[in-house]
Amino acid sequence: MKKIKITGNRPLKGEITISGAKNSVVALIPAAVLADDLVILDGVPQISDVDSLIDILEVMGVTVERDGETLTIDPRGLKNMPMPYGKINSLRASYYFYGSLLGRFGIATVGLPGGCDLGPRPIDLHLKAFEAMGATISYEGENMTLKAVDGQMHGATIFMDTVSVGATINTILAAVKAKGRTVIENAAREPEIIDVVTLLNNMGAHIRGAGTDVITIEGVERLSGTRHQVIPDRIEAGTYIALAAAVGQGIKINNVLYEHLESFIAKLEEMGVRMTVSEDSVFVEPQGSLRSVSVKTAPYPGFATDLQQPLTALLLKATGQGTVHDTIYEKRVGHVPELARMGADISVKGDRIAYRGANPLEGAQVKATDLRAGATLVIAGLMADGQTTITNVEFILRGYSNIIAKLQALGAEIELVEEA
């Protein structure tokens, strides 16, 4: 069993560099199998979700080479075969293979997706889009088969009932080699979607409107190989900015795109966090007193649900009381009882998290219930007096590249240990 042990209340100082976006790369890798030649991705984070996706590709006959943060994918040996259930069930983003395999072969047999338990995250929007484009759906055991009626997807106009990043990307993947035009209305606008579209257009796709709520795809017959730089991870950046405000004595976060974090940084400024935002970095100064605020998540460009939890740890340093309302994932509250175990005045009331600060935290044994909850507990452990031990750290390693080494370089007393 892997655990993270932290001796807290140590001042941190220095620089940290943000890795490539986890929420981009888990879609870029499945997108690569649509190509007829090599796809090279630069800036790929060293996270377990990437390891799982590589395993899936290799089982399906794809050759993958990894050199540091560069991933070379050769999809020419890709076999049209059922995907391995165990691997598919290990991460939710495996569902992007639905769209890419439909686009390449007109058929996909896959296991149902896994990932963090954050409440209802149905894939009905994905399936509705595929059906509109001519696919039939059948189930056998834990597998689902999607099949284009005449062997090729067909363009359609699709209105997303709710804004969904996953459904938007999956529809794009299924549409790039479809016959005719596909229009996605009420599309998600996240930067990760723009990143995936940039890759596909460089491969020869014809996609317009990424970053707006209407995306148009003109199907093409083939896609070529290309080289692509993954965008910086805005969620990792926000996590380390919150950490720097909580325990830093001057920390510079490099490889940050401010335009991807405007709503988050605006909330920090409302709290009174002192920082200097530059073209591609943020310097977080040592902090004085902070003001409590209330947070409400929303689809991009609103406050990101993935940053709700990391910010909560910083909110515990603010004077006063406030609430956090996650409108995207109703069960994104697993960090609350763990923070309370460390002495935080925090609870779930109805559909909101209520907190009161500032009160000191004490080290404790806590459990990561999902990826971002785990990051929250790392921040809390660095804030707390004494030692904190975090279990279920596999969640954290799914999404934060080299987190232990990055924090140790800032002076944190943190280690990853493996116990029987």
Side-chain angles (χ1 to χ4, degrees):
M1 178 186 294
K2 292 181 180 179
K3 299 180 180 180
I4 290 177
K5 291 188 176 181
I6 303 169
T7 301
N9 201 13
R10 300 288 193 270
L12 307 186
K13 191 172 185 178
E15 297 189 17
I16 198 164
T17 299
I18 299 304
S19 300
K22 176 252 187 193
N23 288 339
S24 276
V25 81
V26 295
L28 294 168
I29 291 173
V33 305
L34 287 161
D36 297 325
D37 208 339
L38 298 182
V39 174
I40 301 173
L41 302 177
D42 295 312
V44 175
Q46 296 182 13
I47 56 177
S48 62
D49 270 11
V50 168
D51 298 335
S52 295
L53 289 169
I54 292 172
D55 288 346
I56 292 170
L57 290 178
E58 291 179 338
V59 167
M60 298 172 67
V62 176
T63 301
V64 183
E65 294 183 4
R66 189 168 192 172
D67 182 10
E69 293 188 343
T70 297
L71 201 64
T72 301
I73 301 170
D74 184 351
R76 290 173 292 188
L78 179 68
K79 301 180 184 70
N80 184 12
M81 58 180 285
M83 296 177 62
Y85 174 75
K87 293 295 183 183
I88 288 291
N89 196 46
S90 69
L91 76 160
R92 183 155 186 89
S94 60
Y95 59 33
Y96 290 129
F97 283 108
Y98 301 179
S100 59
L101 292 177
L102 273 174
R104 175 147 178 175
F105 295 119
I107 185 170
T109 299
V110 294
L112 299 177
C116 298
D117 181 13
L118 301 176
R121 297 197 287 174
I123 60 171
D124 58 325
L125 290 177
H126 307 236
L127 303 184
K128 176 183 173 183
F130 297 151
E131 287 179 316
M133 298 168 68
T136 61
I137 303 167
S138 60
Y139 298 90
E140 183 177 345
E142 295 172 326
N143 289 329
M144 175 173 60
T145 297
L146 307 165
K147 186 176 182 180
V149 174
D150 60 358
Q152 184 180 17
M153 302 294 278
H154 290 261
T157 297
I158 299 159
F159 181 85
M160 295 290 173
D161 294 332
T162 58
V163 176
S164 167
V165 175
T168 298
I169 291 176
N170 233 344
T171 304
I172 293 170
L173 295 177
V176 287
K177 299 179 86 170
K179 186 175 181 179
R181 173 183 295 178
T182 300
V183 179
I184 307 172
E185 299 177 345
N186 198 32
R189 300 163 56 189
E190 272 72 3
E192 293 79 12
I193 294 172
I194 299 174
D195 202 22
V196 173
V197 167
T198 299
L199 169 73
L200 291 169
N201 281 343
N202 288 341
M203 290 162 58
H206 295 162
I207 307 169
R208 304 190 313 275
T212 76
D213 60 0
V214 178
I215 298 175
T216 303
I217 307 108
E218 300 283 353
V220 298
E221 290 188 2
R222 68 179 304 274
L223 295 172
S224 61
T226 191
R227 188 163 195 152
H228 177 79
Q229 176 69 45
V230 182
I231 61 171
D233 193 317
R234 62 193 172 100
I235 308 302
E236 184 190 21
T239 299
Y240 285 125
I241 292 170
L243 181 151
V247 293
Q249 292 299 308
I251 296 176
K252 184 181 180 184
I253 297 99
N254 298 311
N255 197 29
V256 177
L257 294 179
Y258 165 74
E259 57 267 30
H260 293 172
L261 286 166
E262 288 188 68
S263 60
F264 178 75
I265 289 176
K267 188 59 67 173
L268 293 182
E269 290 173 339
E270 184 183 343
M271 292 180 67
V273 172
R274 298 195 298 258
M275 56 191 155
T276 302
V277 179
S278 303
E279 183 178 352
D280 61 355
S281 66
V282 176
F283 178 74
V284 183
E285 304 172 20
Q287 303 302 312
S289 60
L290 299 175
R291 298 182 291 272
S292 61
V293 296
S294 290
V295 178
K296 184 176 182 179
T297 68
Y300 189 85
F303 193 99
T305 176
D306 280 359
L307 286 174
Q308 171 259 107
Q309 290 161 294
L311 183 68
T312 301
L314 177 61
L315 292 175
L316 298 175
K317 292 199 72 170
T319 301
Q321 58 186 349
T323 61
V324 179
H325 182 197
D326 197 322
T327 66
I328 311 297
Y329 295 133
E330 63 183 38
K331 287 179 65 176
R332 201 159 219 164
V333 295
H335 55 306
V336 172
E338 305 305 311
L339 291 172
R341 188 171 286 115
M342 299 176 71
D345 187 351
I346 189 169
S347 60
V348 178
K349 296 184 177 179
D351 60 356
R352 288 167 172 77
I353 298 168
Y355 74 91
R356 183 188 299 272
N359 59 307
L361 301 179
E362 297 289 336
Q365 179 154 323
V366 291
K367 177 177 64 177
T369 55
D370 61 76
L371 169 57
R372 307 305 172 185
T376 307
L377 297 177
V378 170
I379 298 174
L382 293 169
M383 294 165 56
D385 289 322
Q387 187 173 87
T388 296
T389 300
I390 305 172
T391 60
N392 279 14
V393 300
E394 289 76 14
F395 281 118
I396 302 171
L397 303 179
R398 280 188 49 222
Y400 287 91
S401 183
N402 297 320
I403 184 171
I404 303 300
K406 287 181 179 181
L407 292 175
Q408 287 174 341
L410 296 176
E413 292 191 28
I414 182 172
E415 60 178 341
L416 179 67
V417 298
E418 191 156 355
E419 298 178 354

